[in-house]
């Protein structure tokens, strides 16, 4: 469904991704773990068309999207909940979800999709007329994910959805991610919480300073010595 | 009292013109964090477009409201195109560069429009034709309003309500608010950020054109440098209201217009231009985010 081949990305002189190759098959949850500054966000930004790569190729459902503008990539069915959430702080929860469906015209279906998001995240329902800036961090994360679902993606990119959340909420978010995936959405999950990420994912990649160091079934990465040492606290 | 009320009527009229221009500054700033210094010159072009259109269409010789409306709309259209061209060929190429580059570009465009105007229209002032027969309408208590003032007010209010509708109720308006919050987040919603920026420039330029034509109804003398002062003052009005804030631009414009008229009426006409800068200094000292602006949010 998604393939990334030999991707090279630079920020000025900083070589952020060095020949990254990975893929996600339809229906999978794939996770990408790695330390701060490894290039995880950069990879998601490049897939979404926010950063132009210097070399390499990104395809989605067989289509080359490497240099496609970001807003068109959303239209193809790739959606992202970005690092830092970036919810529209001055707009209500409702308006945020509405913007997630910006490219769609089917009013009735948009409405029922918003209802589906409220079922997924019930706290958002009570706060639908509240501005997003007044939500708690966890609620903002839910909104960011819900908003990303509003474009009806077939591939969902999640950048550290558990960041800054209390353990109970982290569990809830990961359960919801699995639920979304069961609904037929392929998920590429970037996480620092390697343990949780590898428990919900089928496969995983380990990114170190811009390079894929390891790739394997998530279950095997969970017991891999190097991974345990570096990302699972021994 | 009569005198005061009369000044107030004049001030509100004048202020609504500042508000129209200030809206363009504030919208572009909201979306690009760019101060479009050429905006006052687009207002000048609006007056000149109106001048030539009135001549070409015969509105100059046959004053009637329908033709006058045509002049207004065509001039707005012309400036909309100018706004499009300025954005596309001057600002867009430097959008990814530094803020300083954008600022220098803005000043360059401004100089280009002023001197291009000199070249095209000549240095001698032109006189805007009377496209509406003038008349005075008494308001009671000795206060009166000219029908030109009524038109200025009515058209400004209608345009502002229209803008309010676009920004708050339409899809493109929602996209504008999204882009002004974050280009990245907006793009991830599937919004074409480039297209929204273009739209914003066109919209702002059209409002400035309307202001140019409306002012020329009352002060028919037009010349290529006529945009500098009103542009500067409208910019101050935008800062006064809180730059980036649309209701703020309207409020700032009104305060500016009223202040200016009152200063001329009660203090001295020589203070006419100074008051804008007094207001600017005061607001920057007392409430730098502007009357309706939010204090800069703490970044977490
Ligand atoms: N806009 C930018 N300009 C310059 N360098 C950047 C920029 N964004 C990221 N980088 C650099 O690129 C590298 C990869 O950054 P990236 O944000 O992709 O890492 P990450 O794996 O997401 O890290 P984290 O876990 O902290 O979010 C880092 O060295 C970072 O400093
Ligand atoms: Mg990151």
């Amino acid at each position: 469904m998604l393939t990334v081949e030999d991707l090279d990305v630079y920020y000025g002189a900083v070589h952020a991704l060095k020949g990254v190759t990975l893929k996600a098959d339809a229906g999978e949850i794939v996770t990408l773990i790695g330390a701060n500054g490894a290039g995880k966000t950069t990879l998601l930004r490049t897939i979404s068309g926010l950063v132009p790569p210097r070399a390499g190729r990104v395809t989605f459902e067989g289509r080359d999207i490497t240099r496609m503008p970001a807003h068109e990539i959303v239209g193809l069915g790739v959606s992202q909940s970005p690092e830092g959430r970036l919810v529209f702080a001055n707009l209500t929860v409702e308006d945020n979800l509405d913007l997630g469906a910006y490219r769609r015209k089917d009013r009735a279906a948009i409405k029922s999709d918003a209802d589906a998001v409220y079922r997924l995240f019930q706290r958002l329902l009570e706060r639908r007329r509240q501005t997003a800036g007044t939500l708690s961090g966890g609620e903002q994360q839910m909104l960011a994910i819900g908003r990303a679902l509003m474009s009806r993606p077939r591939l969902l990119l999640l950048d550290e959805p558990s960041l800054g959340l209390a353990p109970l909420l982290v569990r809830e978010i990961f359960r919801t991610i699995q639920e979304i995936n069961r609904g037929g959405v392929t998920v590429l999950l970037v996480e620092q919480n390697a343990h949780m990420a590898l428990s919900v994912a089928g496969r995983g990649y380990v990114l170190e300073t811009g390079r894929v160091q390891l790739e394997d079934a998530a279950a095997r990465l969970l017991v891999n010595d190097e991974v345990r040492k570096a990302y699972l606290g021994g | 009292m009569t005198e005061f009320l009369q000044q107030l009527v004049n001030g509100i009229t004048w202020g609504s013109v500042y508000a129209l221009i200030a809206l363009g500054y504030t919208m572009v700033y909201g979306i690009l964090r760019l101060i479009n210094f050429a905006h006052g010159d687009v207002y000048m072009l609006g007056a000149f477009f109106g001048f030539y259109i009135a001549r070409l269409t015969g509105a100059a010789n046959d004053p009637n409201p329908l033709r006058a409306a045509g002049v207004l709309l065509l001039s707005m259209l012309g400036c909309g195109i100018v706004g499009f061209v300025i954005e596309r060929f001057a600002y867009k190429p430097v959008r990814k560069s530094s803020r300083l580059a954008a600022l220098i570009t803005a000043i360059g465009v401004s100089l280009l429009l002023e001197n291009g105007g000199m070249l095209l229209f000549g240095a001698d002032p032109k006189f805007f034709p009377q496209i509406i027969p003038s008349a005075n309408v008494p308001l009671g208590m000795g206060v009166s309003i000219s029908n030109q003032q009524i038109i200025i007010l009515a058209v400004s209010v209608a345009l502002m309500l229209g803008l309010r509708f676009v920004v708050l109720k339409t899809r493109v308006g929602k996209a504008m608010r999204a882009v002004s919050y974050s280009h990245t987040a907006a793009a991830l919603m599937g919004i074409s950020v480039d297209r929204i920026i273009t739209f914003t420039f066109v919209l702002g330029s059209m409002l400035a054109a309307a202001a140019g034509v409306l002012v020329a109804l009352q002060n028919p003398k037009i010349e290529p440098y006529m945009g500098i002062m009103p542009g500067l003052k409208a910019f101050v009005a935008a800062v006064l209201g809180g730059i980036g804030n649309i209701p703020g631009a309207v409020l700032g414009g009104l305060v500016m217009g009223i202040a200016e008229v009152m200063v001329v009426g009660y203090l001295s006409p020589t203070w006419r231009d100074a008051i804008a800068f007094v207001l600017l200094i005061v607001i920057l000292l007392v409430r730098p985010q502007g009357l309706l602006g939010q204090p800069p949010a703490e970044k977490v």
Side-chain angles (χ1 to χ4, degrees):
Chain A
M1 162 171 259
L2 172 78
T3 69
V4 172
E5 295 160 34
D6 291 323
L7 209 59
D8 270 292
V9 175
Y10 288 79
Y11 295 107
V14 179
H15 197 173
L17 294 181
K18 302 163 185 161
V20 169
T21 296
L22 61 71
K23 64 164 187 159
D25 292 326
E28 276 193 302
I29 299 182
V30 177
T31 186
L32 182 66
I33 57 179
N36 291 113
K40 306 178 297 295
T41 298
T42 303
L43 180 62
L44 293 196
R45 288 173 60 84
T46 311
I47 294 170
S48 278
L50 294 168
V51 183
R54 179 144 332 157
R57 222 161 81 95
V58 181
T59 70
F60 175 67
E61 294 179 336
R63 209 144 144 189
D64 192 331
I65 58 167
T66 315
R67 272 171 189 85
M68 199 178 269
H71 63 273
E72 286 175 23
I73 293 177
V74 179
L76 291 182
V78 180
S79 173
Q80 183 178 159
S81 163
E83 182 172 65
R85 297 148 195 166
L86 297 183
V87 294
F88 300 108
N90 297 331
L91 302 183
T92 61
V93 167
E94 266 180 344
D95 281 344
N96 269 272
L97 292 184
D98 237 26
L99 274 165
Y102 184 77
R103 296 186 77 84
R104 297 172 53 189
K105 304 258 152 55
D106 41 346
R107 278 268 128 226
I110 291 173
K111 175 86 184 35
S112 77
D113 284 1
D115 290 340
V117 169
Y118 291 133
R119 273 197 300 281
L120 217 48
F121 301 109
Q122 273 151 33
R123 289 151 173 257
L124 293 182
L125 182 63
E126 302 148 33
R127 294 168 173 79
R128 59 199 295 173
R129 295 194 208 289
Q130 204 168 311
T131 54
T134 64
L135 299 177
S136 76
E139 290 155 3
Q140 290 191 9
Q141 187 59 61
M142 295 173 189
L143 180 57
I145 297 174
R147 186 182 64 176
L149 289 174
M150 291 299 293
S151 63
R152 287 207 169 166
R154 290 186 297 287
L155 173 65
L156 180 62
L157 311 173
L158 298 173
D159 200 342
E160 303 206 28
S162 76
L163 190 73
L165 305 189
L168 216 64
L169 206 52
V170 172
R171 237 171 285 244
E172 191 184 324
I173 291 274
F174 277 99
R175 254 202 310 274
T176 312
I177 292 169
Q178 286 179 299
E179 201 176 324
I180 292 166
N181 174 249
R182 276 196 298 274
V185 181
T186 308
V187 176
L188 176 54
L189 172 64
V190 162
E191 262 300 335
Q192 298 248 2
N193 188 335
H195 186 80
M196 279 305 266
L198 290 170
S199 337
V200 300
R203 290 189 308 116
Y205 292 83
V206 177
L207 200 64
E208 269 172 35
T209 56
R211 283 204 176 82
V212 174
Q213 291 297 352
L214 270 175
E215 60 168 295
D216 209 337
R220 273 203 292 276
L221 287 176
L222 265 174
V223 296
N224 180 301
D225 278 346
E226 283 170 57
V227 175
R228 292 178 69 97
K229 251 194 236 121
Y231 304 105
L232 300 170
Chain B
M1 188 62 188
T2 299
E3 152 119 21
F4 176 78
L5 287 177
Q6 184 66 59
Q7 300 286 17
L8 195 64
V9 168
N10 297 345
I12 290 173
T13 312
W14 200 223
S16 67
V17 169
Y18 283 143
L20 280 182
I21 310 174
L23 281 167
Y25 280 110
T26 231
M27 286 193 296
V28 166
Y29 184 85
I31 276 185
L32 281 178
R33 303 292 180 271
L34 165 79
I35 294 164
N36 176 15
F37 274 111
H39 192 58
D41 304 301
V42 174
Y43 153 89
M44 172 275 289
L45 283 181
F48 273 95
F49 285 173
F51 173 82
Y52 287 110
I53 292 163
R55 275 198 177 172
L56 288 174
T57 59
N61 305 320
D62 174 21
N64 76 57
L66 215 62
R67 279 178 189 267
V71 170
L72 179 74
L73 289 176
L74 284 175
S75 167
M76 287 171 72
L77 188 71
C79 282
I81 294 168
V82 168
F84 174 87
V85 170
I86 291 175
E87 197 280 321
R88 178 68 190 74
F89 294 102
Y91 293 137
K92 195 172 175 197
V94 296
R95 197 177 303 149
K96 300 246 150 62
S97 322
S98 69
R99 291 250 214 132
L100 186 63
L103 194 69
I104 292 168
T105 306
I107 294 169
V109 172
S110 171
L111 290 174
L112 181 76
L113 293 182
E114 284 158 22
N115 294 303
M118 268 305 194
L119 207 67
L120 274 170
F121 312 135
D124 296 333
K126 302 239 174 329
F127 285 86
F128 201 85
Q130 271 228 326
I131 55 177
I132 289 282
S134 85
N136 252 328
V137 183
L139 289 180
M141 294 172 64
V143 180
S144 74
I145 185 168
S146 74
N147 66 335
Q148 283 129 342
Q149 284 181 309
I150 296 178
I151 290 169
I152 294 175
L153 274 172
V155 172
S156 311
V157 169
L159 288 172
M160 287 181 226
L161 289 177
L163 179 71
R164 189 186 144 82
F165 178 81
V166 168
V167 171
L168 292 183
K169 301 285 177 208
T170 66
R171 194 171 114 93
V172 64
K174 244 181 217 166
M176 283 170 75
R177 287 188 287 162
V179 172
S180 80
Y181 178 74
S182 154
H183 289 201
T184 299
L188 288 177
M189 300 301 104
I191 294 168
S192 166
V193 174
D194 279 345
R195 212 179 290 168
I196 295 301
I197 291 172
T198 305
F199 179 79
T200 306
F201 264 89
V202 170
L203 209 58
S205 302
M206 289 173 79
L207 294 180
V213 173
L214 291 174
V215 166
L217 291 180
Q218 210 183 7
N219 307 341
K221 196 171 125 187
I222 62 176
E223 43 93 13
Y225 290 149
M226 67 181 268
I228 299 176
M229 242 333 152
L232 221 47
K233 289 181 190 167
F235 168 64
V236 173
V239 174
L240 195 62
I243 189 128
N245 181 305
I246 288 180
V250 175
L251 179 65
L254 288 176
V255 170
M256 178 69 71
I258 293 170
E260 191 174 315
V261 168
M262 293 295 173
V263 163
V264 171
Y266 290 103
L267 277 175
S268 151
T270 48
W271 279 81
R272 183 182 181 128
D273 294 336
I275 182 66
F277 303 100
V278 172
L279 283 174
L280 180 65
I281 291 165
V282 170
I283 195 78
L284 288 180
L285 287 177
V286 179
R287 201 178 149 83
Q289 73 269 32
L291 295 172
L292 301 186
Q294 315 265 329
E298 218 75 53
K299 284 269 179 205
V300 194

